[in-house]
Amino acid sequence: MQMEHRTRPHILLITMDELRKDALSCYGNKAVATPHLDRLAEESIRFEKAYSVSPWCLPSRCAILTGLLPHESGAYSNFRKCELSAEIPNLFGILRDHGYRTTVFGKCHFSPVPYSSTRPDTTLPYDEFKDYYMSLGIDHLDLQDDKQVSVWFYDDYAKELDQAGYLEAYRKQVWSEKANGKVFAFPGPAEWHPDHWVGRKSAAYLEAYSEDRPLFAWVSFSGPHFPFDAHESYFDRVDMAKDATRNCKPGEFDDKARIHHESYYGPGGIEGSGAAADRACKNHSESYWQSLRRSYYANVALIDDQIGTIIHAARRKFGDNLLVIFTADHGEMLGNHGLWGKNNCAYEDVLNVPLLVQYPGESQGSVTNEQVMLTDIMATCLKAAGLKHEEMKGRDFKESGRNGGYDYVFAEGEGFSSVSNGRFKYIHLQKNNKLQYELFDLQQDPCEFHNLAGNPAYAGELAELRGRLLQLFMSQVLS
């Protein structure tokens, strides 16, 4: 099935990186207002139980692009050479083959960053990465491939920031982790903040778009991912007196078998450990947490302003013949459990992400509690375009809702997997010949403090969820 060319909707996919669901006022945040996303939420389906399929950027983004879980696409790690293969059908290529113009503004991260090559004294070439991204089926790309990447490598944003005279100062701050704990005010005018640049580029493109074919635009903000670098002009938008209390439990990680024992007590592997004394998140002070959270919320406010401009430009250009999807690749701990970052995290803080979907011609808002996954984005876009890909495993969000959502939601990464049936969640981590696993009762323990994996009373729930993971992976191994 294929719609007539003139009736196909334009598609606007907007993502934020490392965004907590509860950082938005439409999901209950009191410390900062996000009026533009609130307005979109009033006209959209707002999902309360939308799940990322990975706590890492690359696997999650590749899953969005292909509709496949990381073990199915082979793009499962931020750190190993496992970029998404151009041979795997993806949203860019399918839409372009059927008459769409495909564009990306901001972050791609479909290939692992060569972290070991980075240098504090220079910004390195990045043309090979852009060429690879374009080979996936992108017609136009304004690349800002992560805040840190943009000081490590010359993406499009870094080149313009350098010409404007602000790259050196930004690079100095990004490399000063031990001095600033990855929390600092952006060292330049607000309009040169990476998320402002992405907003500016995408809005200008939408305003000028004149081609006689439908547009697919992925506006991919790299914030509020660390470093926590909001422009100081946005600090007044945050009222920390109204901020929620961090969810912490004394002694939670005393058991050395807990996955994040070392993250908390050191020497940890979660991102927040690297910015802490002795690589122990417990050593972050309360004033540090306040500063970090304020900057994070201020960055959210900056992006919300840009999203307002982008949606206004898209509405002026395309009217209501537009599918709008807003989400995040994954969340952020932001001080809950005394941690920040997302490495090896299966907490709801990281996997339960915001999702707003406004279908073409619709403006009646609703809320759903059905479990969906970000692998459904590809199916939703293709169905709106009147297309179907035979190997596609996801399903349109409306269809998912009508069918009661997924009974189980999964997340994956290098050495990491988790599964939840909405009541119980099982996490399995195997790295460096070390096995760790946890089980949580999300109904009785919504903050996920109490590991039930060693409790004989929950042996049945543990076995059932382990079996679901085994079934998931064996279906691929033996296919």
Side-chain angles (χ1 to χ4, degrees), residues 275-344:
D278 300 323
R279 296 189 62 85
C281 281
K282 71 179 181 65
N283 291 328
H284 288 312
S285 67
E286 189 56 41
S287 63
Y288 174 83
W289 288 119
Q290 290 288 306
S291 176
L292 182 152
R293 289 168 73 95
R294 182 183 68 158
S295 184
Y296 183 89
Y297 294 146
N299 197 166
V300 170
L302 184 157
I303 297 172
D304 182 69
D305 280 354
Q306 297 305 309
I307 289 174
T309 301
I310 291 164
I311 292 178
H312 180 69
R315 293 284 181 221
R316 283 180 33 166
K317 180 66 62 171
F318 307 129
D320 66 357
N321 189 29
L322 179 69
L323 171 65
V324 181
I325 301 174
F326 169 82
T327 192
D329 57 354
H330 53 72
E332 154 68 49
M333 295 304 295
L334 206 69
N336 284 348
H337 301 264
L339 310 171
W340 73 254
K342 79 281 185 182
N343 192 37
N344 291 330

Side-chain angles (χ1 to χ4, degrees), residues 29-41:
N29 194 292
K30 304 298 183 186
V32 67
T34 51
H36 302 291
L37 283 168
D38 290 358
R39 189 172 304 116
L40 178 62

